[in-house]
Amino acid sequence: MRTALLLVSLAEDLWPAGNRSVITDVAAAAEAARAAAVTARLIIEVNLKGITDPVLAEEFGAAAAAAGQVAERADAIVAAIRAEIAR
């Protein structure tokens, strides 16, 4: 999840500075980070009930919750880039 958050942060920094032929790559990277985060969240959620260590369960739960942030930020990046290329 940390890597997905990092990728989304990088995409947020890169897309305003990129030219039209590069920003679509930034959108693709944001979508890939989103997919990775949402997939990780599903895997965590399916296994979370089997984790008996409360500290570990808390860490994994927090990681799963971060997937929503990644998805929202990635969606915003892609929407902004789609608006830019539609102009």
Side-chain angles (χ1 to χ4, degrees):
M1 208 60 70
R2 285 185 298 243
T3 302
L5 280 166
L6 175 61
L7 287 173
V8 169
S9 293
L10 291 171
E12 288 168 338
D13 291 343
L14 288 173
W15 89 261
N19 65 39
R20 292 175 70 83
S21 54
V22 173
I23 61 173
T24 54
D25 294 334
V26 173
E31 285 288 11
R34 182 190 195 292
V38 171
T39 301
R41 178 177 56 197
L42 290 169
I43 293 168
I44 291 168
E45 288 173 348
V46 77
N47 290 296
L48 202 53
K49 290 182 182 175
I51 298 174
T52 57
D53 181 333
V55 173
L56 193 57
E58 172 94 17
E59 288 177 19
F60 280 121
Q69 181 185 15
V70 172
E72 288 175 16
R73 290 169 67 185
D75 288 345
I77 293 163
V78 172
I81 289 172
R82 291 186 74 211
E84 175 68 26
I85 61 176
R87 294 191 307 169

